[in-house]
């Protein structure tokens, strides 16, 4: 009898909690400052307002027409839900945490995207037709390897003109001579994705190698930066920094102007990451300073961007809250930040460079986007190559765009020797079923902010994840090196690989006449 009374009392308490929770839920509202947005019953208006209020707290606005209806419904919204307090379990729906959405609010957001999103995205179109030719390049390849190639990095050491490649599965860093023959190798703790070569006062050449830990985005702090002395008899790598969140780049600079070389490490991570400064002390040890703990960093460029005599950083972020941020050196060991551009998280920002395209004294921006392995693995017409004009004080205005599905990397140089800058791009997430030629495109600049595209016929030789520009044969002309990550990261249903899997890299040798 006592047991039955206890059961009835417990059931009564449960019903009270449900009623109270339900009354909170049905008053669907969302915070905006100190006020709450009250649902009106208009699905379009409610959804639009809730998205603007809540989603833009974390990243730039993603309009409904940027993804198809089914992708929103089955992929992107389920992935986005937990960030807004939605989980598959009742405790998530009924919790009283006012920082998240209530169930009616979440239903309004879902209905908004379902009603406003298109059934499919339009195919990217351009007014400039690409020419399919070798432009001014010729193909050079190393001997085919026995193993399948998972090349995560290609780089050229400017001091010995040797090519270095890294493999994502074997974790081996390989050295190639000017005849493209393998001359040596060393095993690393994880795949290398970036290399910076420096020459010491004694003439010794060393390299700072960024070992990412895991290629796929995951929050596991096993990335390392390794130092290798390439001129020594024993070139065993030594650890410079460890327990890093997927380091993708390491660059040098004297950021406190004490005459000693400092290093900046870009930790991409997933939800955890940042930009880290390693300050060198007089005893040649280093102190770590976190410039920012914002994840998703893709690339950093050092330079005196405000012309005060102190080195600053320009950093591109490519996951979540994507955009370009200027970190200005405060001359006291820290940095102040200024957001220059923000991009929607569906862009998948991949690379950038600063260069004065129109010779007006202001550094303009070249930018690519196309990482396509997050929560919406479809071809997107806004992926590609962008060029922005710097109108002054780092205000950028888009001047030119060329659509490239899954654009991944680019390099710049005056390849044809006519006095202006040309661009070459790769696309790891290209439309390899219908337009594989977009995997490698050379853009010949004919006038400021205007380019003629040439699709280089190399799609059958590999799938290009990494890229470098360098004078590999020491003839005074810039060449292009492409790294072949031949298997994995498939996102096109039914695609059967048609490219070589046994070539770790190829070289596009510059044959333009000077």
């Amino acid at each position: 009898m006592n047991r039955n009374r206890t059961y009835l009392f417990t059931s009564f308490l449960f019903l009270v909690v449900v009623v109270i929770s339900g009354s909170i839920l049905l008053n669907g509202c969302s915070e905006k400052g100190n006020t709450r947005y009250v649902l009106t019953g208009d699905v379009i208006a409610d959804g639009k307002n809730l998205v603007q209020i809540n989603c833009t707290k974390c990243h730039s606005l993603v309009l409904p027409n940027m993804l198809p209806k089914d992708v929103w419904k089955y992929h992107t919204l389920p992935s986005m839900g937990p960030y807004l307090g939605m989980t598959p379990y009742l405790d998530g729906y009924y919790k009283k945490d006012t920082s998240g959405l209530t169930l009616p609010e979440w239903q309004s957001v879902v209905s908004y995207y379902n009603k406003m999103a298109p059934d499919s995205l339009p195919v990217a179109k351009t007014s400039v037709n690409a020419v399919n030719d070798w432009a001014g390049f010729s193909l050079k390849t190393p001997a085919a390897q026995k193993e399948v190639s998972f090349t995560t990095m290609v780089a050229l050491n400017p001091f010995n003109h040797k090519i270095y490649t890294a493999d994502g599965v074997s974790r081996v860093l390989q050295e190639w001579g000017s005849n493209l023959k393998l001359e040596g190798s060393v095993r690393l703790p994880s795949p290398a994705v970036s290399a910076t070569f420096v020459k010491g006062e004694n003439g010794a050449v060393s390299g700072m190698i960024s070992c990412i830990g895991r290629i796929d985005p995951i929050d596991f702090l096993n990335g390392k930066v390794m130092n290798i002395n390439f001129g020594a008899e024993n070139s065993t790598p030594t650890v410079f920094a460890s327990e890093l969140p997927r380091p993708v780049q390491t660059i040098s600079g004297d950021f406190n102007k004490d005459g000693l070389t400092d290093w900046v490490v870009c930790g991409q991570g997933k939800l955890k990451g940042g930009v880290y400064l390693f300050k060198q002390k007089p005893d040649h040890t280093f102190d770590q300073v976190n410039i920012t703990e914002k994840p998703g960093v893709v690339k950093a460029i050092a330079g005196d961007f405000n012309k005060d005599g102190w080195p600053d950083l320009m950093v591109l972020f490519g996951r979540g809250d994507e955009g370009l941020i200027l970190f200005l050196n405060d001359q006291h060991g820290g940095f102040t930040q200024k957001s220059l551009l923000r991009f929607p998280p569906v862009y998948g920002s991949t690379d950038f460079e600063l260069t004065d395209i129109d010779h007006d004294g202001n550094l303009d921006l070249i930018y690519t986007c196309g990482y396509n392995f997050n929560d919406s693995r479809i071809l997107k017409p806004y992926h590609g190559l962008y060029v922005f004009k710097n109108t002054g004080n780092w205000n950028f205005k888009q001047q030119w765009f060329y659509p490239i599905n899954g654009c991944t990397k680019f390099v710049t140089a005056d390849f044809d020797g006519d006095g202006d800058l040309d661009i070459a791009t790769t696309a790891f997430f290209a439309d390899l079923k219908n337009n594989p030629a977009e995997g490698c495109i050379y853009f010949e600049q004919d006038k400021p902010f205007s380019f003629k595209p040439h699709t280089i016929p190399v799609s059958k030789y590999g799938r290009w994840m990494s890229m470098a520009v360098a004078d590999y044969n020491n003839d005074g002309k810039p060449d292009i090196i492409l790294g072949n990550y031949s298997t994995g990261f498939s996102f096109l249903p039914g695609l059967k690989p048609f490219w070589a899997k046994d070539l770790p890299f190829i070289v596009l040798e510059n044959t333009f006449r000077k």
Side-chain angles (χ1 to χ4, degrees), residues 137-426:
F137 298 96
S138 64
L139 178 67
K140 302 292 182 182
T141 67
Q145 306 297 294
K146 294 181 180 179
E147 300 82 11
V148 173
S149 295
F150 295 90
T151 304
T152 55
M153 182 196 79
V154 291
L156 184 126
N157 186 333
F159 304 104
N160 62 12
H161 287 272
K162 294 183 178 181
I163 294 173
Y164 292 85
T165 64
D167 189 87
V169 173
S170 69
R171 299 178 283 117
V172 169
L173 179 72
Q174 296 181 312
E175 180 182 80
W176 307 80
S178 58
N179 56 3
L180 303 188
K181 289 187 177 181
L182 185 62
E183 296 185 352
S185 64
V186 61
R187 190 174 297 277
L188 298 170
S190 67
V193 293
S194 172
T196 300
F197 302 96
V198 294
K199 194 170 187 179
E201 295 179 357
N202 59 358
V205 176
S206 62
M208 282 292 196
I209 313 297
S210 302
C211 299
I212 194 169
R214 290 282 296 268
I215 293 293
D216 50 321
I218 187 172
D219 284 322
F220 188 56
L221 303 181
N222 67 334
K224 292 180 173 65
V225 175
M226 309 297 293
N227 183 272
I228 301 179
N229 188 343
F230 291 104
E233 292 184 7
N234 181 9
S235 58
T236 302
T238 59
V239 177
F240 172 77
S242 61
E243 298 181 5
L244 296 168
R246 303 180 66 245
V248 293
Q249 184 194 26
T250 305
I251 62 174
S252 63
D254 183 4
F255 292 93
N256 54 3
K257 299 182 67 173
D258 63 355
L260 300 173
T261 299
D262 309 309
W263 292 91
V264 169
V265 177
C266 297
Q268 188 172 96
K270 183 183 180 182
L271 300 179
K272 298 178 181 179
V275 180
Y276 314 114
L277 172 63
F278 289 82
K279 293 183 179 180
Q280 185 171 179
K281 298 187 293 186
D283 63 357
H284 304 301
T285 60
F286 292 83
D287 285 333
Q288 179 179 338
V289 176
N290 294 349
I291 297 175
T292 178
E293 295 184 0
K294 177 181 171 65
V297 58
V298 172
K299 180 179 178 180
I301 295 176
D304 182 9
F305 298 122
N306 60 355
K307 299 180 181 179
D308 65 352
W310 291 72
D312 312 302
L313 288 169
M314 195 83 75
V315 183
L316 176 65
F317 294 85
R319 183 177 177 85
D321 188 15
E322 299 191 22
L324 188 66
I325 296 179
L326 173 60
F327 292 89
L328 292 172
N329 195 323
D330 66 6
Q331 306 180 20
H332 298 289
F335 294 82
T336 59
Q337 71 179 60
K338 177 183 179 182
S339 178
L340 302 180
L341 288 172
R342 293 183 78 195
F343 304 109
V346 290
Y347 268 38
S349 301
T350 52
D351 204 355
F352 84 107
E353 189 172 310
L354 301 169
T355 184
D356 187 1
I357 294 177
D358 54 359
H359 308 291
D360 66 350
N362 293 324
L363 293 176
D364 305 302
L365 171 67
I366 305 173
Y367 160 84
T368 54
C369 60
Y371 183 81
N372 213 2
F373 214 69
N374 288 324
D375 303 319
S376 55
R377 301 174 186 179
I378 59 167
L379 300 174
K380 301 178 175 73
Y382 40 82
H383 280 175
L385 172 65
Y386 292 78
V387 181
F388 294 82
K389 176 179 172 57
N390 181 356
T391 60
N393 196 30
W394 302 107
N395 293 306
F396 291 113
K397 180 180 179 182
Q398 183 179 321
Q399 293 290 111
W400 193 80
F401 168 66
Y402 189 88
I404 306 171
N405 287 301
C407 194
T408 309
K409 293 290 183 184
F410 73 90
V411 294
T412 62
D414 181 9
F415 291 104
D416 55 10
D418 65 353
D420 56 26
L421 203 66
D422 309 302
I423 306 171
T425 62
T426 59

Side-chain angles (χ1 to χ4, degrees), residues 22 30 32 42 47 155 179 241 329 344 404 439-440 452 458 501:
S30 185
K32 185 176 184 181
D42 183 331
N179 56 3
N329 195 323
I404 306 171
C440 181
K452 295 180 180 179
V458 293
K501 294 185 178 182

